Amino acid sequence: MNKDAVASDEGSVLWALLPGMVVVAATGGSARHVSPEFAAFAGAQRETLQGSGWLALLDTASRLALLAALARPASLVLSLGLRLGNGEQRWLECSSCWMPRQACHVCLFQDVTAGRQAEQAALAQAQLLRLTADSVPALIAYYEAQTFRCVFANRQYARTFGWDEVSILGRTFAEVIGEQAAREISPHVERMLQSQQAVVYERELPDEAGRPRWLEVTLLPHVDAQGRSIAAFVLIHDVTRHRLAEREARESEERLSRFLQASAEGVVFHRDGIITDVNPPICALTGYALEELLGRSVLDFVPPEQRAKVAAVRAAGQDVSYESEVLDREGRRIPVEFIGRTLMHKGEALRMSIVRDLRDRRAAQARIHHLAHHDALTGLPNRMSFMDELDHRMGFAAGAGEQLALLFIDLDDFKRVNDSLGHMAGDKLLQTVAMRITETLRSTDRVARFGGDEFMVLCPAVRQLSEVETVAGKLLAAIEVPVDADGRLISVTASLGIALYPTDARSPAELIKHADSAMYLAKSRGRANYQFFDPALAHTAYAALVMESRLVEAIEHNEFVLHFQPQVRHHDGALVGAEALIRWQHPERGLLMPDSFIPVAEQQRLMWPLGQWVLREALRHVRRWREEGLALAPVAVNLSTVQFQARGFVEAVERVLKEEEVPGDWLELELSERMLMDDLPEVKAKLQRLKAMGIQISVDDFGTGYFSLRHLKELPIDKVKIDRSFVRDLPAAQDAAAIARALIQMALSLGQDVIAEGVEQAAQRDFLAANGCAEMQGELISRPLAAEDFRAWMLERAAR
């Protein structure tokens, strides 16, 4: 037997003598010996545990750790976990002694399961405590009383002050929260330690964004059995949300209070219908003081017949708006709008009623209704209101078999008042006329301003035409009385048309139309009179109305054209000028002469825009022709009375010259004798201003009016034009020849040029030339030509 065998046998004997749980294992982990105690502990047969069988009891981590330790020839101490055959989990502490001679480990095992379980239980409890502390919506810390060092802090506490759960441990609270903060809270800490009672206080800190943040801090002392303060718990709650809510509530209360005091509308708070508060406007509205209103029922201030409705709305708690009335201190009814709301006020559910005074609104509505049905300037019913009245009266008359008379009144030349004296004077005139019409009518008659300077009068229950004639005569007489407008006496006349129902019309529109036609008939018969509707004569007035409408469209659509008739000097045939003559290129009727539309234009106030168009268009043609080298100047333009007498006429002419960039001496203005006879000083001043621009002035149709020598002598006139009515009978008619010689000699003696129009025969030309008339125009020279034809005529003469 060799020495190793002997040693092995000796070792086996010795190992068997070792008490307790023993496993002798080689460096590879194979068991050479397993004590009965270990087998009994494992609940297995020793034979199954020999070799590597015992390692199967260990959990994977323990087995790997043990094998690694056994591979080293050194003693070891390990904690191992194993699962017994019955499934029970146990923990053993392995203490190994390395036996070099036998090259093995003698492992002695001690059951430490109870300690390990207690340790795990304590760790689980600590982890649960940590989880709980970290989950609680509060900052938690525990500080020693003597050193003020942190022993424990939950995650929220540590992170709030820039630490974590580990790095904060052992830090003083001055290190944790900062020196300044520590000084601020020191009095609270001292009070807690001395009183050994909980202390609660708040701190306001800014958050990362600089917004205010409120923290509620609770200090709880930890006192031992001997009554000594050994530590303190710190609990911190973020109460920012509550403080903001409280502040919002306070601000809301303040806003509500300010609203109550500053609101222009009344506000009443009431509980179960009993008034608890009101604002000053309620006191002002009802005339009661606050003390007189508090504690009274809201229904005391509502008219009896409306209390049921108000009570029902209050009982239902509806948020609703409705109109009602309140009674003031004197018992007067005040129209109001109630706006009911339910809201929280000072932590209590109250009923709030906004009381809106409707008196101004009702007055405004009445005013709006009045304005909708009345003319703002005169206060008379307007067109819409009158049409309703007319329709109603016609329906009543039809049922009663009565006759109505409609009088259409239009002021004559009212535009002249506005143009000459301004709209203020015109408004004054309209107001006075409206008052006079109203005062003249019977109580049963109705009057309205129909628009502009037009008025309508409705006379019901007409039995005889003489009644209507009497009313019409009184109206005309009242209207023509001069009106004092700021010290100026203004007088106008009126044209009045009368239509009867049911004789002349069956509908309101037709009755108005026929009264309007009768009014135009009155204007055509000299104005300042009244006319009854006459179907036979209505067509003429209506035709004039249609012509007026078409003239307006023609101006807008540029349907007018100019023709030019040359004016030449007799002795050499030189072109000395041309007269611009307006034509209407009517879309349906072709080229119309002035006689077919000028009278209507003059009557319907369209001569101003028409005359200004002629003036501008004539100058444009002259400028273009002169730019082509055709030396034509001046061009003669006829003026209408409306143009010449309009305010601002001279300025308008000057403006046209500037805008068209032509000198004044390219223009000649022809005025009739009648235009020069009114207000000689004013006419003279106008002509002098025109002459100062270089414009030539001529008298058109000379000899046909009552133009006196004094006018011819005093006015700055350059030329007179002998009317065609005298030229037509030359030279055979002795009276015509005598008049022509006298007119020529009179003009020449005053240093004025003379031109004759309507020269169609050579004998006429020769007679005029022999008697000193140097300039002529007429078909003997050329008929009036369209602009392009006149240009061609000038080019042909220039080429000769």
Side-chain angles (χ1 to χ4, degrees):
M1 182 178 296
N2 59 33
K3 294 180 178 180
D4 292 337
V6 173
S8 175
D9 291 338
E10 291 176 352
S12 297
V13 173
L14 291 173
W15 298 333
L17 296 176
L18 292 174
M21 295 184 288
V22 177
V23 174
V24 178
T27 56
S30 176
R32 296 179 184 178
H33 169 75
V34 177
S35 70
E37 291 83 355
F38 186 89
F41 176 80
Q45 297 295 323
R46 294 178 64 193
E47 294 75 11
T48 62
L49 299 179
Q50 295 291 339
S52 59
W54 72 290
L55 294 174
L57 298 173
L58 303 177
D59 59 43
T60 302
S62 297
R63 184 169 59 252
L64 293 176
L66 179 61
L67 289 174
L70 294 176
R72 296 189 296 273
S75 298
L76 61 92
V77 177
L78 284 177
S79 291
L80 303 174
L82 69 163
R83 189 170 297 279
L84 303 181
N86 60 4
E88 183 182 357
Q89 177 73 38
R90 305 299 291 268
W91 284 271
L92 299 176
E93 184 177 87
C94 174
S95 298
S96 166
C97 179
W98 170 251
M99 305 294 290
R101 183 178 177 185
Q102 287 81 14
C104 65
H105 290 272
V106 178
C107 300
L108 178 63
F109 292 91
Q110 183 179 358
D111 186 358
V112 294
T113 299
R116 185 64 178 268
Q117 288 175 339
E119 179 184 344
Q120 286 186 338
L123 179 61
Q125 187 175 12
Q127 290 174 341
L128 179 61
L129 176 63
R130 167 63 65 181
L131 178 62
T132 302
D134 289 342
S135 302
V136 169
L139 311 183
I140 303 173
Y142 182 80
Y143 284 90
E144 291 181 345
Q146 301 300 320
T147 64
F148 297 127
R149 294 188 180 278
C150 183
V151 177
F152 173 82
N154 69 349
R155 182 183 299 112
Q156 295 94 317
Y157 185 95
R159 291 184 179 180
T160 296
F161 297 105
W163 306 88
D164 59 34
E165 300 94 311
V166 176
S167 63
I168 196 173
L169 300 179
R171 305 284 181 180
T172 66
F173 70 82
E175 292 176 314
V176 173
I177 66 177
E179 293 289 346
Q180 178 63 35
R183 285 193 294 272
E184 292 178 2
I185 70 170
S186 180
H188 303 297
V189 175
E190 291 298 328
R191 183 156 53 92
M192 177 206 65
L193 293 175
Q194 291 177 7
S195 66
Q196 293 187 340
Q197 299 292 324
V199 172
V200 181
Y201 62 92
E202 280 192 16
R203 294 188 65 201
E204 182 178 346
L205 301 172
D207 63 8
E208 296 81 358
R211 294 168 299 196
R213 180 185 181 194
W214 286 270
L215 302 177
E216 182 182 76
V217 183
T218 302
L219 303 179
L220 297 171
H222 184 188
V223 182
D224 65 9
Q226 289 73 36
R228 293 173 299 184
S229 296
I230 61 175
F233 291 97
V234 180
L235 302 178
I236 302 177
H237 292 86
D238 189 337
V239 293
T240 302
R241 177 168 57 87
H242 304 294
R243 297 298 173 263
L244 290 176
E246 291 172 357
R247 185 170 71 178
E248 178 62 28
R250 287 194 304 272
E251 291 175 352
S252 177
E253 290 284 349
E254 292 173 0
R255 285 195 300 271
L256 180 58
S257 178
R258 288 195 299 269
F259 166 75
L260 286 174
Q261 299 303 315
S263 174
E265 296 179 336
V267 180
V268 178
F269 285 102
H270 49 95
R271 184 190 304 107
D272 299 327
I274 303 302
I275 297 173
T276 60
D277 198 5
V278 300
N279 67 344
I282 283 292
C283 297
L285 180 69
T286 62
Y288 289 98
L290 173 63
E291 296 75 14
E292 296 175 297
L293 294 172
L294 297 180
R296 293 186 61 178
S297 171
V298 293
L299 296 180
D300 290 347
F301 306 95
V302 178
E305 72 277 6
Q306 299 189 34
R307 289 175 183 171
K309 176 181 179 182
V310 175
V313 172
R314 178 183 60 79
Q318 297 173 323
D319 286 355
V320 67
S321 301
Y322 60 99
E323 293 189 4
S324 183
E325 291 178 322
V326 297
L327 301 173
D328 69 3
R329 192 183 191 95
E330 305 301 324
R332 292 171 298 205
R333 293 172 176 249
I334 300 173
V336 296
E337 179 184 16
F338 287 139
I339 304 173
R341 296 290 185 269
T342 300
L343 76 163
M344 298 298 296
H345 179 55
K346 296 181 180 179
E348 177 180 26
L350 291 178
R351 186 70 175 168
M352 180 183 76
S353 295
I354 298 173
V355 183
R356 182 170 293 160
D357 188 346
L358 296 182
R359 285 177 292 186
D360 288 344
R361 183 194 296 181
R362 295 280 177 85
Q365 290 173 342
R367 176 64 177 163
I368 292 171
H369 182 271
H370 179 82
L371 291 176
H373 294 83
H374 291 79
D375 172 54
L377 178 64
T378 64
L380 295 178
N382 59 16
R383 178 192 294 259
M384 180 181 69
S385 177
F386 185 79
M387 291 297 292
D388 291 342
E389 176 79 5
L390 179 59
D391 185 60
H392 172 72
R393 290 297 186 97
M394 289 178 69
F396 180 82
E402 295 180 351
Q403 183 174 234
L404 302 177
L406 181 64
L407 285 65
F408 196 121
I409 304 170
D410 184 89
L411 302 184
D412 299 326
D413 296 325
F414 175 73
K415 186 175 183 299
R416 177 175 58 84
V417 176
N418 275 343
D419 291 342
S420 59
L421 300 180
H423 288 282
M424 294 293 289
D427 289 349
K428 174 67 174 178
L429 177 61
L430 289 173
Q431 290 171 335
T432 303
V433 168
M435 180 182 66
R436 289 176 179 175
I437 293 175
T438 303
E439 292 174 348
T440 301
L441 295 177
R442 303 168 300 179
S443 61
T444 56
D445 298 335
R446 294 292 180 267
V447 60
R449 184 185 178 197
F450 219 56
D453 58 345
E454 298 174 342
F455 298 86
M456 284 284 190
V457 172
L458 178 62
C459 298
V462 173
R463 292 182 293 274
Q464 297 178 352
L465 292 185
S466 59
E467 298 177 29
V468 182
E469 291 177 329
T470 299
V471 172
K474 289 181 178 180
L475 288 172
L476 294 178
I479 292 171
E480 69 180 8
V481 175
V483 176
D484 186 350
D486 296 330
R488 295 188 179 186
L489 289 178
I490 307 172
S491 61
V492 294
T493 58
S495 295
L496 195 152
I498 306 170
L500 302 174
Y501 171 82
T503 306
D504 297 330
R506 291 292 180 177
S507 68
E510 187 179 24
L511 190 64
I512 292 172
K513 175 183 175 182
H514 289 169
D516 191 20
S517 298
M519 181 272 294
Y520 278 108
L521 182 60
K523 284 187 179 295
S524 68
R525 293 189 173 181
R527 310 190 178 201
N529 71 96
Y530 64 85
Q531 296 292 326
F532 284 90
F533 173 70
D534 185 344
L537 299 175
H539 178 72
T540 302
Y542 180 73
L545 183 63
V546 172
M547 176 63 76
E548 176 190 357
S549 175
R550 281 297 293 119
L551 279 172
V552 172
E553 294 179 5
I555 294 172
E556 293 176 351
H557 299 159
N558 199 27
E559 295 178 2
F560 294 98
V561 295
L562 288 183
H563 283 202
F564 296 87
Q565 188 169 35
Q567 299 171 336
V568 300
R569 196 164 46 231
H570 169 67
H571 73 275
D572 59 3
L575 181 65
V576 296
E579 182 178 5
L581 301 167
I582 189 171
R583 303 288 188 265
W584 182 3
Q585 190 64 57
H586 197 286
E588 291 87 23
R589 298 169 58 187
L591 193 67
L592 301 182
M593 296 296 105
D595 290 346
S596 63
F597 60 87
I598 289 297
V600 176
E602 288 179 337
Q603 186 178 15
Q604 304 305 328
R605 310 163 188 169
L606 296 175
M607 276 311 300
W608 172 260
L610 204 55
Q612 291 302 104
W613 178 86
V614 172
L615 182 63
R616 188 180 297 274
E617 192 70 10
L619 292 175
R620 286 176 177 173
H621 280 90
V622 172
R623 187 185 65 233
R624 284 197 294 268
W625 291 333
R626 290 184 70 90
E627 288 172 352
E628 295 179 26
L630 298 173
L632 170 67
V635 62
V637 174
N638 285 282
L639 290 181
S640 70
T641 303
V642 172
Q643 270 183 292
F644 186 67
Q645 292 181 349
R647 186 170 57 181
F649 165 70
V650 176
E651 291 80 2
V653 173
E654 183 177 19
R655 185 165 55 251
V656 171
L657 291 173
K658 287 182 179 180
E659 290 173 355
E660 298 303 327
E661 299 179 346
V662 298
D665 59 5
W666 289 9
L667 177 64
E668 177 181 313
L669 297 179
E670 294 187 358
L671 296 85
S672 68
E673 291 185 13
R674 181 69 182 83
M675 292 163 59
L676 299 173
M677 291 177 64
D678 292 335
D679 198 347
L680 185 61
E682 184 178 351
V683 170
K684 183 176 181 180
K686 278 187 179 181
L687 295 183
Q688 287 174 338
R689 292 174 62 191
L690 294 170
K691 288 286 295 177
M693 301 178 206
I695 298 172
Q696 298 183 48
I697 306 298
S698 66
V699 180
D700 192 19
D701 302 334
F702 189 61
T704 60
Y706 303 95
F707 197 60
S708 69
L709 289 175
R710 185 169 73 89
H711 285 72
L712 191 62
K713 172 177 170 290
E714 292 185 11
L715 297 178
I717 296 172
D718 299 293
K719 183 188 296 185
V720 296
K721 178 181 282 189
I722 301 175
D723 187 67
R724 65 179 65 248
S725 62
F726 301 119
V727 175
R728 182 176 56 247
D729 296 330
L730 294 177
Q734 293 184 0
D735 54 349
I739 292 173
R741 289 193 193 97
L743 294 175
I744 294 170
Q745 292 304 315
M746 181 173 60
L748 292 177
S749 65
L750 293 174
Q752 295 158 349
D753 295 331
V754 182
I755 184 172
E757 65 177 352
V759 179
E760 300 176 355
Q761 302 171 10
Q764 296 168 342
R765 176 195 61 196
D766 295 341
F767 175 85
L768 291 167
N771 284 277
C773 181
E775 299 177 5
M776 303 176 193
Q777 73 179 79
E779 293 194 3
L780 179 64
I781 302 160
S782 173
R783 60 181 176 81
L785 301 171
E788 283 303 311
D789 294 336
F790 182 62
R791 174 177 174 274
W793 184 87
M794 288 191 291
L795 287 172
E796 180 183 354
R797 286 177 59 87
R800 293 178 184 172

